[in-house]
Amino acid sequence: RAAAPLPPAAAARALRRAARFVGRALPLCRAHTVEFFTRGLWERLVAARPDAVLEALRAAGPLARPLAAGAGAGNIPIIAFCENSEKLINVHLFALAAKYHSLSSLGVCTPLEDVLEALKGNTENGKFMNNKKSHEVQVMSELVDSIANYCGIKQVIDIGSGKGYLSSFLSMQYNLKVYGIDSSSSNTNGAHERNRKLKKHWRAYQSRGRESLKSQTLEKANNRPVESKIKCKTISEELLNNANSLQNQDQVILQDLVPSCGFTEMATPATNTETEADLVTGTQSHETKLSEEVLAILNVLSADAVEDFSSFHNNSGELCEEEKVQRKMTSLKTKARKSSESNLYFPLTSCITAETELNDIITDLEDCMMVGLHTCGDLAANTLRIFTAKPEIKAVCSVGCCYHLLSEQFENQEECHDQVWGFPMCQYLKDKGWCCGRNARIANFKSLLDRHVGKTFSKSSSFIDYVRRSLKKLELDDSKLPDSCIMDYYEKYKHRMNELEAFNMLKVVLAPCIEVLILLDRLCYLKEQENIAWSGLVKLFDPVKSPRCYAVIALKNQSCS
């Protein structure tokens, strides 16, 4: 069973509400800070004084109570803006309305815990790293593995895989066969090299684990038993403690690839459990424990990340205890390889569009799911389109980003009828001819909160230096512009900095509403498809660590009923 889906009608209502509010605020959304003084944006768009705006926004900050659904929130766009001049007149109501139209207040998201519970996933996560990418990879991997198990699939296609962090983790930690597709050959080549280094470390510690098991078995033969959990934990701790070189080279925490809980605390795949049962049926308890110890190591190794055990032959016909162990390890290794053939990661280079034929890229395409961790621009939209069109793809989990790179169907007057656009996707916004505009989509929380946007200012010693660096970057001649002229401009507008700060804060308030509109557009597109059994928006990440924290998830009817 899947978590209770948001009804299509509810998703459509939320989209209409968000579109109505954002539509009224579009002049603010589309305004660019660069044009603030030259086009007189404050006088054109805001009726209140800058200090009053800043005070009202602070009062309606995180501690302010959001408007309830029945509190007349739907009329706020009319109340907050002047009907004649279209200027913003009530900043307090405007800020509360923006809160009301957030994903959390609209009630359109499915909690991650509910999804994992419905998929019978384990919500007890391992140790999280402080690293942003580690946080994202670990949380998303757990969800992807739960969906794959629910749908009974072992193949995953990672769209926009980049450096391969998510792909590597899914293949090595969760025994999934992952194809990581990225348009950048440098990313793909880097992923190949990173995967090679990871496998090298796996092999080194696998060899050490093998030697440790051999000595420990001899101890058992001499009636000196050692608990397997302690031994495996020792190996795990050594692996974690000696991973610093790989971390520094690739900026990825290897601890994520080998959870700190130790090998024996990992779940054993059913195929390996059956392998163990076949090999030790009818044996005594000593041999059973020995097989479990060997599998504790083998279960965490990728089929392509381990070396063959050497066969050991004895001509005397008598096998000592050590030789029996070696032969058993060889047999276990062979069967574990066969049962884990899908546990591989293949980085591929290809540009993905809505018309991409995956069979041309992946020759052994089978029932699978598509994932994307911070797929840029149109790639997130195209991921959903490919998912709905290809019968082999049974599920999708997509976290988009870089909304400023989205193509919009109604942004330009000249329409290209053959082009597939990134926005809008759903029929409602298409019928309305909806367009956000690039300036609205480019809104970035961090940059808007910083008066000095860009790297140029951080490298400048003064305002004069900043202007000259900027002009050179724009390939403009600054030789005829004296320092005195530059400072005259600075002095002319310095006293209006509070206007610029207040204006940026208004755009910060609106930025999440633009994201709401884009995400609801994608969700409603999925709700319109007849072959979708379940679809929803799920907040995956801590927004402080990862601001683009919402995933669009969907499962198809035929294989996930």
Side-chain angles (χ1 to χ4, degrees):
R1 63 182 181 90
L6 180 72
R13 282 195 301 271
L15 177 66
R16 288 194 295 269
R17 290 173 188 166
R20 184 165 184 256
F21 173 66
V22 174
R24 192 63 188 83
L26 269 180
L28 275 173
C29 295
R30 292 174 176 170
H32 199 294
T33 309
V34 170
E35 302 171 329
F36 181 76
F37 292 120
T38 57
R39 297 189 61 188
L41 295 181
W42 187 267
E43 293 82 359
R44 288 176 53 191
L45 300 175
V46 186
R49 301 186 318 275
D51 54 345
V53 169
L54 290 172
E55 182 180 352
L57 292 179
R58 294 188 187 103
L63 298 181
R65 180 182 298 176
L67 289 171
N75 296 321
I76 284 182
I78 300 174
I79 299 172
F81 293 89
C82 176
E83 190 172 349
N84 296 323
S85 67
E86 297 186 349
K87 289 184 179 181
L88 176 64
I89 55 177
N90 193 320
V91 181
H92 180 71
L93 284 179
F94 166 81
L96 292 181
K99 272 189 176 183
Y100 170 78
H101 292 94
S102 67
L103 285 176
S104 56
S105 296
L106 288 172
V108 294
C109 287
T110 305
L112 175 60
E113 295 78 9
D114 291 357
V115 175
L116 290 174
E117 177 64 26
L119 296 170
K120 298 182 179 178
N122 179 15
T123 57
E124 294 297 323
N125 294 324
K127 177 183 177 183
F128 285 109
M129 302 296 108
N130 292 328
N131 180 272
K132 171 181 177 288
K133 183 58 65 176
S134 300
H135 167 69
E136 294 165 352
V137 166
Q138 190 162 357
V139 174
M140 189 164 180
S141 292
E142 181 186 5
L143 176 59
V144 170
D145 178 61
S146 297
I147 296 173
N149 288 334
Y150 183 82
C151 295
I153 54 181
K154 294 295 289 182
Q155 190 178 89
V156 175
I157 303 174
D158 184 4
I159 301 296
S161 55
K163 296 181 179 180
Y165 295 128
L166 177 64
S167 297
S168 296
F169 193 79
L170 286 170
S171 65
M172 299 183 77
Q173 167 74 6
Y174 290 107
N175 302 311
L176 293 167
K177 185 175 184 178
V178 184
Y179 285 95
I181 305 176
D182 196 273
S183 62
S184 169
S185 58
S186 61
N187 274 345
T188 304
N189 293 335
H192 270 296
E193 179 63 14
R194 187 169 296 102
N195 202 41
R196 184 190 65 80
K197 291 176 182 179
L198 290 174
K199 290 176 180 179
K200 180 179 178 182
H201 279 259
W202 280 105
R203 292 187 185 105
Y205 285 97
Q206 174 263 342
S207 178
R208 182 177 298 184
R210 190 167 65 238
E211 292 300 321
S212 176
L213 284 174
K214 184 187 297 182
S215 63
Q216 292 159 4
T217 302
L218 292 176
E219 288 181 2
K220 282 195 172 185
N222 294 324
N223 295 322
R224 293 196 301 270
V226 181
E227 291 294 330
S228 62
K229 187 171 182 177
I230 297 175
K231 292 177 293 187
C232 293
K233 185 177 181 181
T234 301
I235 297 170
S236 178
E237 289 173 348
E238 290 179 4
L239 179 56
L240 298 179
N241 292 333
N242 289 281
N244 292 330
S245 62
L246 189 61
Q247 293 175 19
N248 295 333
Q249 287 175 346
D250 296 295
Q251 297 180 348
V252 57
I253 310 272
L254 192 61
Q255 283 172 305
D256 276 349
L257 301 179
V258 186
S260 57
C261 58
F263 289 162
T264 55
E265 295 180 18
M266 298 176 62
T268 303
T271 53
N272 286 347
T273 304
E274 293 169 3
T275 300
E276 177 191 356
D278 291 341
L279 290 171
V280 300
T281 300
T283 60
Q284 298 171 351
S285 59
H286 168 73
E287 292 180 342
T288 302
K289 290 181 181 179
L290 178 60
S291 299
E292 291 172 350
E293 293 164 7
V294 176
L295 284 172
I297 301 297
L298 296 180
N299 285 342
V300 297
L301 297 178
S302 168
D304 193 38
V306 296
E307 298 173 343
D308 289 332
F309 291 96
S310 299
S311 298
F312 189 93
H313 299 282
N314 190 303
N315 295 326
S316 64
E318 296 291 335
L319 296 178
C320 66
E321 188 66 28
E322 182 178 356
E323 293 162 350
K324 290 180 180 179
V325 170
Q326 287 186 332
R327 289 204 170 186
K328 186 174 294 294
M329 290 177 70
T330 301
S331 179
L332 285 170
K333 163 62 180 64
T334 301
K335 290 198 175 184
R337 178 189 291 275
K338 291 180 180 179
S339 65
S340 302
E341 285 179 350
S342 61
N343 181 16
L344 298 170
Y345 164 41
F346 301 96
L348 304 171
T349 302
S350 181
C351 183
I352 301 297
T353 67
E355 294 84 14
T356 296
E357 288 293 339
L358 294 176
N359 288 294
D360 295 339
I361 306 172
I362 303 171
T363 56
D364 64 336
L365 184 67
E366 59 188 49
D367 286 355
C368 63
M369 72 173 293
M370 293 185 77
V371 302
L373 176 54
H374 291 153
T375 47
C376 294
D378 287 357
L379 188 56
N382 288 336
T383 297
L384 300 182
R385 287 193 173 99
I386 295 173
F387 160 70
T388 59
K390 307 299 181 184
E392 300 91 346
I393 306 173
K394 306 304 181 184
V396 66
C397 179
S398 173
V399 180
C401 71
C402 301
Y403 300 136
H404 62 286
L405 297 178
L406 272 175
S407 63
E408 289 199 65
Q409 182 175 356
F410 303 104
E411 188 168 15
N412 301 312
Q413 296 298 325
E414 297 181 3
E415 291 190 23
C416 300
H417 296 287
D418 295 334
Q419 184 171 342
V420 178
W421 305 92
F423 180 89
M425 296 184 71
C426 76
Q427 197 59 47
Y428 173 78
L429 293 184
K430 283 184 177 182
D431 292 341
K432 293 290 184 180
W434 235 94
C435 173
C436 294
R438 187 174 185 275
N439 288 343
R441 290 180 281 106
I442 204 171
N444 177 280
F445 299 103
K446 184 177 180 181
S447 64
L448 286 174
L449 288 170
D450 188 351
R451 295 180 185 178
H452 315 296
V453 179
K455 298 179 181 179
T456 304
F457 183 85
S458 62
K459 300 176 181 177
S460 305
S461 58
S462 64
F463 181 73
I464 293 175
D465 186 32
Y466 168 70
V467 171
R468 297 200 180 281
R469 284 174 179 265
S470 300
L471 291 174
K472 289 177 181 177
K473 190 172 182 180
L474 294 171
E475 299 181 353
L476 298 175
D477 182 14
D478 70 322
S479 60
K480 297 181 181 180
L481 186 66
D483 290 354
S484 58
C485 184
I486 295 175
M487 290 308 298
D488 285 344
Y489 276 103
Y490 180 79
E491 293 298 329
K492 180 179 179 179
Y493 293 105
K494 182 175 65 175
H495 69 284
R496 297 181 62 186
M497 286 299 292
N498 63 335
E499 292 180 15
L500 189 58
E501 180 183 0
F503 192 75
N504 277 344
M505 289 304 298
L506 289 173
K507 289 177 69 67
V508 166
V509 169
L510 285 171
C513 299
I514 298 295
E515 183 176 33
V516 166
L517 194 67
I518 293 171
L519 292 176
L520 283 176
D521 173 54
R522 294 171 181 176
L523 179 62
C524 288
Y525 164 79
L526 292 173
K527 299 289 184 185
E528 292 169 358
Q529 311 306 311
E530 295 181 357
N531 60 342
I532 306 299
W534 186 93
S535 58
L537 292 174
V538 178
K539 184 178 178 181
L540 284 191
F541 312 131
D542 179 351
V544 175
K545 295 180 181 179
S546 182
R548 297 289 175 252
C549 58
Y550 292 98
V552 179
I553 302 172
L555 287 73
K556 281 185 182 166
N557 282 314
Q558 51 262 45
S559 65
C560 301
S561 56

